[in-house]
Amino acid sequence: MTARVGVVTFPGTLDDRDTQRAVRAAGAEAVPLWHRDKDLHQVDAVVLPGGFSYGDYLRAGAISRFSPVMETVIEQARAGMPVLGICNGFQVLTETHLLPGAMLRNNHLHFICRDQKLRVENATTSWTTDYAPGQEISIPLKNIDGRYVADERTLDMLEAEGRVAFRYVTDGPSADGYGNPNGSLRDIAGITNEAGNVVGLMPHPEHAVEPLIGTGRTDGLGFFTSILKKLVTA
C-alpha cells in the first residue's frame, strides 16, 4: 500500500502544490486537505505548508490554529501521527502548542529570501532519519516572521532533550547563505516534540527536491523520503 501524506491548504497558503510535488517525488501519495474539513481522509502523515494563512492577521498562524482541520490534526499528532510544519506551518504548530516557543518578526524587520545552510542536529525524528547528525544541507528560506523565541527554561529543555532539529550555520559570510537570517535564539531553525513525530522548521525543503528548481540541489528530499520509510516500516 502506498503511504498517504496529507497537505493542508489554508486561505493564503502558497506552497501546497510544491509540497505535494515533493511528496510524490519521494514516492508517496499526496492527499490535498482543505482547512474547513475535519476529515483527514485516512492519511498516514500531514504537512502544514508555507504561505501566509489568513493573511497572517493577528499574527502568523494564529487564526489557522482554529481551522476545523487543525482540530483533527492536533488530536492525531498527540496520538503519534507524523506532522511537519514548514515556515507558516511551523508558526501554526507553535500556536497550537504542539511545539513550544513562538515566532516573531525578523530582527532586521525585512522579508528575507535566499538559500540557507542548515546543520542537522537531530536525525532520529520521523522526518529526519535520512540525514546524518551534523550534516549540513542547503535549502531555500523565505520569511518575515521567522525569529524563533522561547524563554530560557524552554530553550534549555530543548537543548537537553535533543529537540533542536536544525540550526542555522553561522560560520561564514551571509552573502553565501550562511548566518542567522532572522535572529532566532541559539540559531534554532527547527525543533521537534518530545516524541519526534512533530517537526517544525522555517526553511523550505519542498523547494529543494529536484536539481532543476530551487537551489539546484536535492537536500530537502530527505524530509519526504524519511517519512516514507517511517510509514512503510511502521
Side-chain angles (χ1 to χ4, degrees):
M1 175 180 283
T2 303
R4 292 165 53 85
V5 179
V7 180
V8 178
T9 298
F10 301 100
T13 295
L14 55 83
D15 292 313
D16 45 349
R17 296 294 182 90
D18 303 72
T19 303
Q20 291 172 28
R21 185 181 181 89
V23 169
R24 291 193 296 268
E29 179 185 354
V31 180
L33 300 175
W34 185 236
H35 69 110
R36 296 183 64 181
D37 190 354
K38 290 185 178 181
D39 186 356
L40 298 186
H41 302 286
Q42 298 180 316
V43 298
D44 304 298
V46 169
V47 182
L48 306 178
F52 300 90
S53 59
Y54 292 93
D56 279 349
Y57 290 118
L58 300 182
R59 61 182 177 273
I63 299 177
S64 295
R65 179 261 178 273
F66 296 101
S67 291
V69 72
M70 287 308 301
E71 180 179 331
T72 311
V73 170
I74 293 168
E75 176 186 318
Q76 292 301 309
R78 288 175 175 163
M81 174 180 281
V83 177
L84 176 65
I86 302 170
C87 195
N88 189 237
F90 186 12
Q91 295 159 345
V92 173
L93 289 177
T94 61
E95 290 289 335
T96 63
H97 304 297
L98 287 172
L99 293 176
M103 310 303 302
L104 300 181
R105 187 61 51 98
N106 295 346
N107 60 343
H108 45 73
L109 303 181
H110 295 287
F111 182 86
I112 188 168
C113 181
R114 72 186 194 195
D115 293 344
Q116 177 65 48
K117 296 274 183 121
L118 304 178
R119 183 171 60 251
V120 180
E121 300 283 4
N122 185 331
T124 65
T125 78
S126 297
W127 300 91
T128 58
T129 55
D130 266 1
Y131 297 106
Q135 180 178 349
E136 292 187 3
I137 61 176
S138 178
I139 58 178
L141 172 81
K142 51 179 185 176
N143 64 69
I144 193 168
D145 295 296
R147 178 161 55 108
Y148 180 76
V149 299
D151 60 78
E152 286 298 311
R153 181 177 179 180
T154 298
L155 292 170
D156 288 343
M157 174 197 69
L158 292 173
E159 301 277 13
E161 296 180 0
R163 291 172 53 188
V164 176
F166 299 92
R167 289 188 209 272
Y168 298 112
V169 174
T170 58
D171 55 346
S174 60
D176 291 337
Y178 293 84
N180 186 323
N182 44 39
S184 291
L185 298 181
R186 303 194 189 183
D187 299 325
I188 292 174
I191 60 174
T192 181
N193 67 342
E194 186 175 4
N197 63 301
V198 179
V199 171
L201 80 161
M202 286 310 297
H204 288 260
E206 78 280 11
H207 294 328
V209 299
E210 295 177 296
L212 293 179
I213 59 174
T215 61
R217 301 166 54 155
T218 59
D219 290 9
L221 188 59
F223 285 82
F224 305 99
T225 55
S226 291
I227 193 59
L228 179 59
K229 291 178 181 178
K230 167 74 174 179
L231 297 174
V232 169
T233 59

